[in-house]
Amino acid sequence: MMSNILKRFSTAGKISVFLITLVCFMAIFAPLLTKHPWNQPTGDALEPPSKAHILGTDDLGIDLWSQICYGARNSIAVGIGTALTACLLGTALGIIAGYCGGIPDLVISAVIDVLTAIPGLPLMIAAGAFFGPSIKNIILILSILSWAMPARIIRSKIISLKQEMYIKAAQGYGAGFSYITIKHFLPRIFPLSATSFIRLISKAIVSEASLSFLGLGDPTSKSWGLILNYALNFPGIYFTDYWKWWLVYPLLCIILLVLSTAVIGREFEKILDTKISSVV
Amino acid sequence: MKKSNIGKMLILFMLAAIMFSMNGCGAKPQQKTVSDSTELDSPLVIRLEGGDWGFPSPFAHYSRGPGMSKMRLIYDSLLEKGEKGLIPWLAKEWTISPDGREYTFVLNSGVKWHDGELLTAEDVKFSFEYFTKHPPVSNSLLIDGKPFIDKIEVIDECQVKITVNEPNATLLDRLGIVRIIPEHIWKDIEDPKKAIDLVKLVGCGPYTLTDYNQEQGTYRFQAFEDYWGPKVRVDVIEFIPVSDQVLAFEKAEIDLLDVPADLMDRYKNNEEYKILKSPAFWGYRLLFNMEKKPELSDVNTRKAIAHAIDVDELIEKVARGAAVPASPGYLPIDHIWHNPDVTKYEFDIEKAKELLNNKSLSLTLLISDDQKEARIAELLKINFAKAGINLEVRTVDMKTRDSQVKEQNYELALIGHGGWGQDADCLREVYGVTVARDASPVSNVIPGYSNPQINELCQKQLSELDEQKRKSMILDLQKLISDEIPLLPLYNTVEYMVYKPEKYDGWVHVFDHHAVTHNKLSYLEREK
Amino acid sequence: MKYQKAIRYLLTFFCIITLNFFLPRIMPGDPFYFLSSEQGEITITYSQEEIQRQKAYYGLDVPVLTQYGRYLKNIIKGDLGYSIYFNNDVRLIIKNRIPWSVSLVLLSVIIGGFIGTLLGCLSAWYRRGVLDKALYSLMIILSEIPAFLIGILFLLFLAARQGLFPLSGGMKPFAEYVSWSSRFLDIALHGFLPALTLAVVQMGGFYLIARNSMITVMSKDYMTTAKAKGLSTRRILFRHALTNAALPIVTRAFYSLGQAVGGTILVENVFKYPGLGLLMRQAVMVRDYPLIQGIFLTVTFFVIIMNLAADIIYKKLDPRII
């Protein structure tokens, strides 16, 4: 099924898939791709790109290419971790709310309402300060704040599925909730979940970068947003040449990664015919 | 069609209306003084980096940042901090009774408030009493959280006598810096925090505030033409918000630049500019919690840690060269009572291993999410690992870190703060306090540590009124501390200020503070 | 049905108010305790007695539930409290910041909406042409890049390196404007880059909606008639098609107003623009409870109102939806 989908991708989609594979490759094989450690100074401070340091070094003399490679791990971990948690949570709660109705539906819908009405960023700022900055906590916060989107979509899908004859028939034969969910619901809502999964990845990556940019990320892990934050806070960054490597490369990386996930998300939507972007 | 046009016009109109309403938000400029109308020269306007630090009344400025120094431009005190020590100010002379309990100040005569009224001894008495009832943001009238003034008497129209509970070496400083406020303005104000209109801002200092805008972070100070004291050289001081200091300085938007170390070369060896180095009164120190980590109560472990830190590398990489190594005896190199002969701990991994008996040690370091602290922690971790100390770094935001240090919830903690140039009594507050009575940065207790010798000397210097004797005690105390290192100062930062002497050349440092812009002497004429 | 919706909105709002109260309070840290400072800064720290006195002054010394009760009572009265750090009435502080943020959001939606819609119409007209395809990809790309990154790029290239725009702030300090137009220009110059940044991000959404609805409208019979009548392209496009496709665009505009808030907070921090976003970050950093609550409430209220407005307008304009 996946290869089938891939074939129907447009050129942009294919490029995006390639880019993402590249980033994953960077993340997984970071130790092989880099000759310098990501957390120890190996050169002079702020060396421009050269043979020894292909993307130059930062203010401590740490190789930027290594930081970017290892940073890819963070970005991907936050992206996938958040999307997975939020998607599972959202799907489960969406099914429960849609299928059971009544009080569970009321409660879940109310929480969804609150979460969608509150602007996410201020809440993230406050929650970030509360939980403290670490990758685990960031994933946790982002998941809590982003499950509402898939849950809402899936809830309404389930409500409409419930009206269909074959579900009613299955219910009539005495099929239980879990049987119907596994046999009938999951296959039908899979495209929806998959699409929101991809969209959540890109949202999570952006959110992590935003938090790091505001200085609320985890300063001991080198995520791309953090490299950016360090570079931007360096006094006189615009007046020296340092921005040419220290600022530009991480910036490019974030933009490319976010763009590729977004494009893939759209391709998925088109192919699986699930309109999510119009809902959110 | 018509309708949508009207709609568009409406939106545009609304937008325009909003934009125009913006100026109305801040405090309205209010011309209280007219200066330099007689002088032929155009007034000297100095522009400095601003930002919002609060309404500059003694009760309303913010507790962090340079709000206090702005307030002090408006309000004078009995004494002032000079280049070498305390100098006479509103009080032209003072006497201290031999038992150290009575302070008599003789006031200058003819001192005028900004509204034209004369300052009287009653105003001085009123100020001390009012501050006791309504503490200002910066309150020097408490020692370890307790008041020390017994009574204040007006002897005649220019003499005030203050009687204190017990003799104490720091009192002259504490009494001298109290701002004097006018009785006729404040006597009926019950909640001074909320008195934030410009009319209330009447002091007897060299400047009056003519404009303050909280959102924009701008202040405009104008010289007070009837100022009693030295001639005011700068006619107008404007504090404006700046996003990039260097750019603003190059565009001549500001007249003083705290230059980043990497850009020093731009201004070095250039006739047009002068570079002023600030004393190193801001620094980082490493705290040891010996209660939570008993290994740290062994002095050799602490020494091993000291040897495992490459301070020069920290200075080069984190401070970009703009810092000096801190003294293990705490008082930094620029402090007037710094002891250069304290025990020093050079970077030596082998020595560190030896002191640890090649045992390994595992520690957690608490830092805030500040970039520099994260950088320091990164570098510490690398060298500690070489010495067999495994360092785990725990990061929380600044506020959380502060309260965790207060609750003693850490093993090692890194904090950075200013005020290293203040009176040497800070040694007592850092090292000699056994109970957490006070929450000031230099006065949290060292958990699990108490040294009777240090404590005794700390107490003795406090009641020693002879300055020379006290100084030698302080020197001894530093030596003692450096042998014990109950906490480890890392480095003190230096700032380089660049300015064009052609425009203004009056910048000066006072003896205990790092910023030239914060003291009023920088703006006044000085006797040679 | 109508009541149910109203109750749900009220319930949501109540939850938010409550959350709003407890969230700042569960953050570790004390608004009165400063141990450390930023480099080169001096902080004044208080003794235990002084902290107690301050807490009593701000009503923070009583049990949390009592505080909560007072908070609810004050909100009903419209009182948002007194800021601990900024030492001013929270309402006043927020009131002074709102014009900046709101004009930024409004301006960005207007610019973004205008350009986006225009390009959407063009795309729809030249459907499947080269222009359409190029615009489509460009818009998708622009709409996906996070606003603050675009802001950084603008700041770096247009403001810092080229010096075309001021780097920060909302207006020139102490400028004495000769006329209202120079004043307007100054404010516009300062607001231009932040507004443009936000507008770029908004454009994509408008573009897609305009394009879609134009395509739908243009396939309708009356458009074919219009074309057959020989009306000019511009006339058909803007007079007939656009007026018919306006509904989703207007609705989108209101949703955008609500959605732009998150981006605005970040963009204001990039450009140090004196709006609510910049203030919010400062307030969180110093744990100024009343101010955090106040800003949060204002922002949420704004978003909810905008969403509600979008709902209502959609129903008003399109009676088919109940």
Side-chain angles (χ1 to χ4, degrees):
Chain A
M1 184 182 167
M2 280 320 262
S3 63
N4 217 354
I5 292 173
L6 207 60
K7 254 184 221 150
R8 286 160 65 190
F9 270 19
S10 66
T11 336
K14 279 175 188 151
I15 295 175
S16 305
V17 172
F18 171 73
L19 280 174
I20 294 215
T21 325
L22 201 72
V23 173
C24 290
F25 184 76
M26 262 164 66
I28 295 165
F29 298 105
L32 301 176
L33 290 170
T34 57
K35 52 183 174 180
H36 300 292
W38 64 276
N39 51 3
Q40 283 191 23
T42 44
D44 280 341
L46 295 162
E47 270 182 51
S50 64
K51 271 206 183 119
H53 301 279
I54 49 173
L55 296 186
T57 61
D58 71 358
D59 58 337
L60 290 190
I62 303 177
D63 187 55
L64 267 178
W65 167 242
S66 308
Q67 289 192 45
I68 286 179
C69 280
Y70 282 92
R73 290 183 169 184
N74 275 322
S75 297
I76 288 180
V78 170
I80 293 183
T82 307
L84 205 65
T85 328
C87 217
L88 288 178
L89 196 69
T91 309
L93 290 176
I95 293 176
I96 292 171
Y99 186 82
C100 302
I103 290 177
D105 183 28
L106 217 68
V107 172
I108 293 171
S109 304
V111 179
I112 292 177
D113 272 354
V114 172
L115 282 177
T116 26
I118 294 182
L121 196 76
L123 196 63
M124 268 185 328
I125 294 176
F130 173 57
F131 287 109
S134 79
I135 289 281
K136 226 172 31 202
N137 290 343
I138 288 176
I139 293 178
L140 191 77
I141 297 165
L142 293 181
S143 311
I144 293 173
L145 291 177
S146 43
W147 63 266
M149 189 259 277
R152 190 151 75 161
I153 300 163
I154 281 159
R155 175 180 164 268
S156 47
K157 181 79 181 173
I158 296 284
I159 289 177
S160 73
L161 279 178
K162 243 168 66 175
Q163 305 305 318
E164 285 189 27
M165 281 319 287
Y166 70 98
I167 302 279
K168 290 211 161 149
Q171 273 174 325
Y173 289 125
F177 169 64
S178 47
Y179 178 84
I180 295 183
T181 304
I182 293 166
K183 272 283 171 195
H184 299 295
F185 287 161
L186 284 185
R188 291 294 295 274
I189 56 174
F190 176 75
L192 279 174
S193 293
T195 319
S196 26
F197 176 72
I198 303 240
R199 291 206 71 78
L200 283 176
I201 290 183
S202 98
K203 258 181 85 178
I205 292 171
V206 173
S207 305
E208 191 273 335
S210 313
L211 279 180
S212 296
F213 169 75
L214 286 178
L216 295 159
D218 178 5
T220 47
S221 73
K222 283 287 165 55
S223 75
W224 294 347
L226 194 76
I227 304 175
L228 206 63
N229 177 27
Y230 280 8
L232 279 172
N233 281 326
F234 187 79
I237 181 83
Y238 300 125
F239 294 90
T240 50
D241 281 339
Y242 308 149
W243 64 273
K244 284 182 187 155
W245 59 95
W246 196 9
L247 190 62
V248 167
Y249 295 124
L251 193 68
L252 271 181
C253 285
I254 298 180
I255 292 183
L256 283 182
L257 181 63
V258 169
L259 272 184
S260 342
T261 40
V263 169
I264 292 177
R266 279 185 191 273
E267 298 276 318
F268 257 84
E269 255 168 57
K270 218 163 56 191
I271 294 164
L272 300 173
D273 199 28
T274 49
K275 278 263 158 57
I276 287 188
S277 43
S278 55
V279 181
V280 241
Chain B
M1 194 58 204
K2 272 250 164 78
K3 242 185 189 166
S4 72
N5 256 344
I6 291 170
K8 265 183 211 155
M9 294 279 283
L10 256 175
I11 290 172
L12 275 178
F13 180 76
M14 265 164 57
L15 213 66
I18 287 170
M19 288 199 157
F20 288 118
S21 66
M22 282 175 188
N23 209 31
C25 308
K28 292 266 172 349
Q30 213 152 5
Q31 300 291 330
K32 269 191 287 193
T33 50
V34 190
S35 79
D36 286 272
S37 48
T38 49
E39 272 184 34
L40 289 172
D41 300 333
S42 61
L44 177 62
V45 180
I46 291 288
R47 290 188 151 204
L48 299 168
E49 186 188 8
D52 177 32
W53 299 105
F55 183 76
S57 97
F59 306 96
H61 66 82
Y62 303 156
S63 48
R64 54 183 272 265
M68 182 167 66
S69 68
K70 293 183 173 59
M71 178 273 289
R72 290 184 168 177
L73 292 175
I74 302 170
Y75 294 93
D76 269 356
S77 48
L78 292 173
L79 308 178
E80 191 56 59
K81 303 277 171 86
E83 288 169 77
K84 299 261 154 45
L86 290 169
I87 53 173
W89 207 251
L90 282 176
K92 60 185 172 195
E93 54 201 67
W94 64 90
T95 47
I96 305 172
S97 68
D99 67 351
R101 291 195 53 219
E102 285 174 12
Y103 289 74
T104 312
F105 294 94
V106 184
L107 304 176
N108 275 304
S109 54
V111 177
K112 267 190 190 162
W113 295 106
H114 295 156
D115 58 3
E117 304 262 334
L118 274 176
L119 180 139
T120 64
E122 288 295 337
D123 283 318
V124 177
K125 180 170 187 274
F126 170 80
S127 303
F128 280 91
E129 284 167 353
Y130 194 79
F131 287 141
T132 316
K133 212 159 71 190
H134 305 284
V137 180
S138 159
N139 191 0
S140 63
L141 294 177
L142 297 172
I143 296 178
D144 298 335
K146 292 186 190 62
F148 56 83
I149 294 181
D150 183 32
K151 59 176 190 272
I152 305 156
E153 295 153 275
V154 173
I155 297 175
D156 57 33
E157 61 226 27
C158 64
Q159 282 195 74
V160 179
K161 188 167 89 184
I162 299 172
T163 314
V164 297
N165 294 330
E166 49 189 48
N168 182 311
T170 64
L171 290 192
L172 187 64
D173 193 319
R174 288 173 184 276
L175 295 170
I177 59 167
V178 170
R179 302 295 115 181
I180 304 303
I181 57 172
E183 185 176 5
H184 59 276
I185 298 276
W186 293 94
K187 63 173 187 254
D188 295 326
I189 296 177
E190 271 311 308
D191 191 351
K193 253 184 195 303
K194 291 186 176 152
I196 46 172
D197 45 359
L198 285 178
V199 192
K200 297 281 187 317
L201 220 47
V202 173
C204 58
Y207 288 94
T208 58
L209 183 73
T210 56
D211 195 359
Y212 164 55
N213 186 318
Q214 191 170 41
E215 306 87 83
Q216 306 289 338
T218 56
Y219 294 82
R220 187 172 185 279
F221 289 94
Q222 189 151 22
F224 172 47
E225 61 171 6
D226 278 340
Y227 185 52
W228 65 271
K231 190 175 167 325
V232 184
R233 284 183 70 191
V234 179
D235 300 302
V236 173
I237 310 170
E238 290 182 349
F239 291 91
I240 59 169
V242 172
S243 70
D244 194 297
Q245 272 211 42
V246 184
L247 188 75
F249 182 69
E250 304 241 317
K251 282 184 173 170
E253 280 169 10
I254 53 171
D255 295 306
L256 192 71
L257 167 68
D258 179 357
V259 61
D262 288 87
L263 296 176
M264 280 278 279
D265 291 339
R266 268 170 113 98
Y267 308 104
K268 255 187 195 158
N269 305 323
N270 188 331
E271 287 288 288
E272 209 185 333
Y273 301 109
K274 239 182 178 176
I275 300 181
L276 204 64
K277 185 180 162 202
S278 80
F281 290 154
W282 196 97
Y284 288 106
R285 58 192 168 109
L286 196 60
L287 306 178
F288 302 124
N289 187 339
M290 303 176 206
E291 218 156 73
K292 217 168 169 203
K293 202 76 187 169
E295 291 97 317
L296 291 169
S297 50
D298 180 1
V299 69
N300 283 334
T301 312
R302 300 199 296 270
K303 284 184 178 167
I305 290 175
H307 279 297
I309 295 175
D310 188 352
V311 174
D312 293 331
E313 186 195 25
L314 294 180
I315 291 175
E316 182 207 322
K317 287 192 168 139
V318 183
R320 306 293 295 155
V324 292
S327 160
Y330 194 82
L331 295 185
I333 192 159
D334 291 318
H335 194 281
I336 41 171
W337 287 357
H338 166 73
N339 183 353
D341 301 319
V342 296
T343 314
K344 295 198 173 75
Y345 303 88
E346 73 282 10
F347 175 55
D348 188 344
I349 294 286
E350 289 312 311
K351 191 96 179 259
K353 277 188 188 163
E354 201 185 302
L355 283 163
L356 283 173
N357 283 328
N358 284 319
K359 269 187 293 190
S360 65
L361 185 65
S362 232
L363 292 167
T364 310
L365 171 65
L366 176 70
I367 59 167
S368 83
D369 52 8
D370 175 77
Q371 180 177 352
K372 289 226 160 65
E373 287 179 27
R375 292 309 217 190
I376 292 175
E378 268 175 62
L379 293 174
L380 289 185
K381 192 174 174 169
I382 294 165
N383 281 330
F384 277 20
K386 289 181 197 154
I389 306 168
N390 173 34
L391 189 69
E392 196 189 311
V393 180
R394 193 157 60 92
T395 323
V396 292
D397 85 326
M398 196 153 143
K399 270 283 177 189
T400 312
R401 193 266 321 269
D402 287 3
S403 56
Q404 293 201 344
V405 169
K406 189 182 170 198
E407 288 152 17
Q408 309 188 351
N409 181 14
Y410 65 95
E411 291 178 8
L412 294 182
L414 182 69
I415 57 170
H417 61 85
W420 295 59
Q422 60 183 230
D423 187 274
D425 187 44
C426 59
L427 288 178
R428 179 186 59 85
E429 291 173 329
V430 175
Y431 298 95
V433 177
T434 41
V435 191
R437 278 181 294 191
D438 189 298
S440 83
V442 283
S443 67
N444 36 36
V445 283
I446 301 162
Y449 182 83
S450 181
N451 182 320
Q453 224 182 333
I454 291 180
N455 291 352
E456 197 200 321
L457 205 49
C458 283
Q459 288 306 325
K460 243 170 90 185
Q461 62 81 25
L462 187 61
S463 44
E464 178 56 67
L465 298 175
D466 183 299
E467 188 155 320
Q468 279 316 311
K469 278 189 198 150
R470 184 170 175 234
K471 183 174 176 180
S472 80
M473 282 181 193
I474 294 291
L475 295 182
D476 291 347
L477 189 54
Q478 289 176 63
K479 175 79 180 121
L480 204 59
I481 288 168
S482 70
D483 286 331
E484 280 282 312
I485 42 171
L487 58 87
L488 187 62
L490 293 181
Y491 66 77
N492 295 101
T493 56
V494 179
E495 281 165 21
Y496 293 95
M497 308 307 284
V498 176
Y499 62 93
K500 290 185 180 165
E502 194 187 304
K503 173 143 191 202
Y504 185 65
D505 199 10
W507 302 112
V508 66
H509 281 110
V510 295
F511 76 99
D512 69 342
H513 197 81
H514 63 280
V516 281
T517 53
H518 289 182
N519 69 75
K520 62 180 70 151
L521 298 191
S522 277
Y523 311 102
L524 304 177
E525 199 127 275
R526 286 186 300 280
E527 295 130 50
K528 288 280 146 62
Chain C
M1 199 63 195
K2 232 180 183 175
Y3 284 114
Q4 209 182 350
K5 190 118 198 181
I7 288 169
R8 260 177 78 170
Y9 265 108
L10 271 179
L11 204 68
T12 311
F13 207 64
F14 179 74
C15 288
I16 286 166
I17 289 178
T18 306
L19 199 67
N20 191 7
F21 173 81
F22 287 101
L23 209 65
R25 264 153 249 261
I26 55 172
M27 286 194 280
D30 184 324
F32 305 105
Y33 185 71
F34 293 90
L35 180 68
S36 48
S37 66
E38 271 163 45
Q39 188 161 342
E41 259 183 22
I42 291 274
T43 50
I44 296 156
T45 27
Y46 295 117
S47 60
Q48 219 46 264
E49 291 91 335
E50 281 175 289
I51 290 181
Q52 277 315 318
R53 200 181 46 76
Q54 298 255 23
K55 285 202 168 145
Y57 182 85
Y58 290 104
L60 295 172
D61 55 339
V62 295
V64 175
L65 279 181
T66 321
Q67 286 182 44
Y68 179 59
R70 280 188 201 163
Y71 163 78
L72 284 183
K73 216 160 85 192
N74 283 338
I75 284 213
I76 292 166
K77 279 193 284 183
D79 181 3
L80 295 178
Y82 204 76
S83 158
I84 296 170
Y85 182 78
F86 289 90
N87 199 6
N88 211 334
D89 192 345
V90 169
R91 266 178 311 188
L92 195 71
I93 299 177
I94 292 180
K95 199 188 99 201
N96 288 348
R97 301 284 184 141
I98 279 181
W100 300 99
S101 289
V102 167
S103 58
L104 212 56
V105 170
L106 269 183
L107 208 64
S108 70
V109 170
I110 290 171
I111 299 177
F114 184 71
I115 300 178
T117 310
L118 202 71
L119 295 178
C121 294
L122 277 177
S123 244
W125 187 259
Y126 296 106
R127 198 173 170 209
R128 300 207 177 88
V130 185
L131 185 73
D132 177 34
K133 277 186 183 152
L135 274 178
Y136 188 81
S137 327
L138 182 73
M139 285 298 142
I140 297 249
I141 287 176
L142 286 183
S143 67
E144 294 295 347
I145 302 179
F148 75 101
L149 294 182
I150 296 184
I152 292 171
L153 286 174
F154 279 163
L155 189 70
L156 181 61
F157 291 108
L158 297 178
R161 303 219 56 96
Q162 298 295 324
L164 296 175
F165 294 96
L167 279 167
S168 72
M171 60 198 279
K172 220 163 139 189
F174 308 119
E176 275 163 25
Y177 300 106
V178 263
S179 65
W180 65 269
S181 58
S182 63
R183 180 192 162 113
F184 182 82
L185 265 179
D186 183 46
I187 291 177
L189 198 66
H190 278 81
F192 185 75
L193 281 189
L196 188 68
T197 308
L198 287 169
V200 165
V201 182
Q202 309 258 340
M203 230 152 45
F206 281 105
Y207 167 84
L208 288 180
I209 285 190
R211 183 174 172 273
N212 279 349
S213 40
M214 286 295 276
I215 288 172
T216 325
V217 169
M218 272 164 29
S219 61
K220 295 249 166 74
D221 289 345
Y222 57 86
M223 290 302 297
T224 330
T225 325
K227 270 188 205 172
K229 275 206 272 181
L231 294 176
S232 78
T233 317
R234 208 199 292 164
R235 202 180 157 91
I236 292 174
L237 203 57
F238 291 107
R239 187 126 195 200
H240 295 274
L242 192 56
T243 37
N244 280 305
L247 167 66
I249 297 172
V250 172
T251 319
R252 167 79 202 185
F254 278 93
Y255 274 119
S256 300
L257 284 175
Q259 296 305 312
V261 169
T264 312
I265 289 177
L266 277 165
V267 169
E268 279 180 11
N269 276 295
V270 173
F271 291 98
K272 303 276 180 296
Y273 201 75
L276 282 179
L278 197 62
L279 188 70
M280 161 125 213
R281 182 164 169 239
Q282 286 171 324
V284 169
M285 294 286 179
V286 294
R287 303 285 192 272
D288 192 337
Y289 301 147
L291 190 58
I292 300 175
Q293 290 164 4
I295 300 173
F296 211 85
L297 200 69
T298 316
V299 171
T300 322
F301 197 66
F302 180 77
V303 174
I304 292 184
I305 294 288
M306 285 307 149
N307 289 353
L308 197 66
D311 269 1
I312 292 172
I313 288 176
Y314 199 69
K315 273 172 210 157
K316 271 255 158 72
L317 293 179
D318 193 353
R320 279 166 300 174
I321 295 166
I322 305 149

